[in-house]
Amino acid sequence: MKAASFGVTMSADKSAFSYNEPASMTISVTNRADVSYTVVGTLHLYDPARQEIYSRTLDVTLPVSGTIAERATFTSTAWAFGSYLVEWSTSVGYGRTGAYNGSFAVPLPTLSVTVDLPSMLGATTPVTANVANVGTVNAPTGTLRITLTNPAGAIVWQYNEDVRLAAGARLTRPLNMTAGTLMLGAYQLRSDFTLSELGVRTVGSSRDLFASLAAALALDRSSYRVRDTAQTTLRLQNSGDFTLAPTVTLTMPDIGFSQSQQVALAPGQATTLTYALNLPANLPVGAHNVIATQLLSTTIAQTTTLLIPEAHIVASQLT
């Protein structure tokens, strides 16, 4: 009896399958001998941890110099992500003649999550959340979660939605992001997409957003005399991402001066406030504080010193 001689090729219908779709492949057996015979093949499927999860025996009768193609379809309610090994071990009669391998993959979906922001942010800001499946496989149900955390570490706004995206699909959501009462410091905007069915986080990103105000307080001279007018300037600049409207107060307690006003500043905007401090005749010699404060949910302050020096009187003797 002539020895069996055949070749085997194994090819999956595609290189990557979605977590919830059947995985199919073709096993082609070609007889290289000039006699027909039957090949017994045992098909094994191993999961990404290389545990056998499927086994099936196929009897293939090969015609002379012919090729037989067998189809194998594997199903699962939810494949584990990773690479699967398919092995077909063959025998003719009582002898094992070889093992042939194929494979297919169930990759994690490739997802993109972005939050589009306008150039100016406020206590309430319209934003757009975008989730896209930019890969070639379907994604299981996932949870989109967007949070805004204030400088004190408290979550002041969040949005949650369960989403299932097929390959190539995109979801866009217009939202109103509320920051609550603004406080100075760094806010964190974080977006996560978690595959709820599997507990696997596939996308996560964060962005710092700043509520910040720069202030500079200055006097027009280094010292003054009583009855002078001290010209005082306070330059404010919004150096952050949020529109701010602090209550600005300038005080000089020693002369009973206090003036308050609310100042609205868009991101990048600057303004200069001017004050005329009339120094009374009875203002004592020495240093007097001039204080500027800016109140949001917290207060920041700047202090400068107005100096009234001692009078120097020079007497000359008449002769």
Side-chain angles (χ1 to χ4, degrees):
M1 179 178 179
K2 292 186 177 181
S5 176
F6 59 90
V8 177
T9 59
M10 305 174 69
S11 58
D13 288 1
K14 52 186 180 180
S15 59
F17 293 89
S18 297
Y19 77 103
N20 60 348
E21 69 173 323
S24 298
M25 67 189 318
T26 300
I27 304 164
S28 299
V29 185
T30 300
N31 187 357
R32 298 194 183 106
D34 56 3
V35 295
S36 62
Y37 50 86
T38 299
V39 175
V40 179
T42 303
L43 194 64
H44 306 273
L45 176 63
Y46 299 92
D47 67 13
R50 294 303 178 255
Q51 300 295 314
E52 185 177 81
I53 58 175
Y54 178 90
S55 180
R56 173 188 171 192
T57 298
L58 299 174
D59 292 343
V60 179
T61 300
L62 296 176
V64 176
S65 301
T67 297
I68 296 295
E70 291 285 344
R71 293 281 292 167
T73 299
F74 309 104
T75 59
S76 174
T77 54
W79 296 106
F81 294 116
S83 176
Y84 288 77
L85 175 66
V86 183
E87 181 186 78
W88 199 56
S89 56
T90 61
S91 61
V92 177
Y94 295 102
R96 179 181 172 92
T97 60
Y100 303 86
N101 294 329
S103 65
F104 64 87
V106 180
L108 280 167
T110 304
L111 301 168
S112 169
V113 178
T114 59
V115 180
D116 297 333
L117 302 174
S119 58
M120 293 187 294
L121 309 179
T124 300
T125 305
V127 301
T128 303
N130 306 286
V131 186
N133 185 343
V134 297
T136 59
V137 297
N138 300 331
T141 298
T143 300
L144 170 66
R145 185 171 187 258
I146 306 171
T147 59
L148 182 67
T149 304
N150 70 13
I155 295 176
V156 293
W157 175 79
Q158 65 178 325
Y159 177 78
N160 297 279
E161 181 178 354
D162 289 339
V163 178
R164 184 187 293 268
L165 290 176
R170 176 181 295 272
L171 174 76
T172 299
R173 286 285 184 268
L175 306 169
N176 283 322
M177 181 180 74
T178 56
T181 302
L182 287 175
M183 62 174 59
L184 296 175
Y187 288 73
Q188 185 183 72
L189 178 64
R190 181 162 188 88
S191 57
D192 290 301
F193 191 88
T194 302
L195 296 179
S196 311
E197 296 178 8
L198 304 171
V200 178
R201 176 177 293 174
T202 58
V203 175
S205 64
S206 64
R207 175 178 176 182
D208 287 335
L209 304 171
F210 294 94
S212 53
L213 185 66
L217 178 64
L219 298 169
D220 64 335
R221 284 159 46 189
S222 59
S223 64
Y224 298 86
R225 295 178 297 179
V226 295
R227 298 188 183 88
D228 279 346
T229 298
Q231 299 294 335
T232 307
T233 58
L234 176 64
R235 188 178 189 276
L236 300 171
Q237 182 172 13
N238 184 341
S239 53
D241 301 295
F242 291 88
T243 295
L244 302 177
T247 298
V248 179
T249 302
L250 186 86
T251 60
M252 184 174 174
D254 290 349
I255 65 171
F257 180 91
S258 180
Q259 182 176 314
S260 297
Q261 65 187 105
Q262 191 172 49
V263 179
L265 292 171
Q269 184 180 2
T271 190
T272 299
L273 306 178
T274 59
Y275 305 87
L277 303 178
N278 296 315
L279 307 180
N282 61 350
L283 186 64
V285 168
H288 304 273
N289 287 336
V290 179
I291 306 164
T293 61
Q294 300 86 50
L295 171 64
L296 285 165
S297 61
T298 55
T299 299
I300 58 174
Q302 303 80 41
T303 301
T304 189
T305 300
L306 185 151
L307 181 63
I308 304 291
E310 292 185 4
H312 293 283
I313 301 175
V314 179
S316 58
Q317 185 174 4
L318 297 176
T319 58

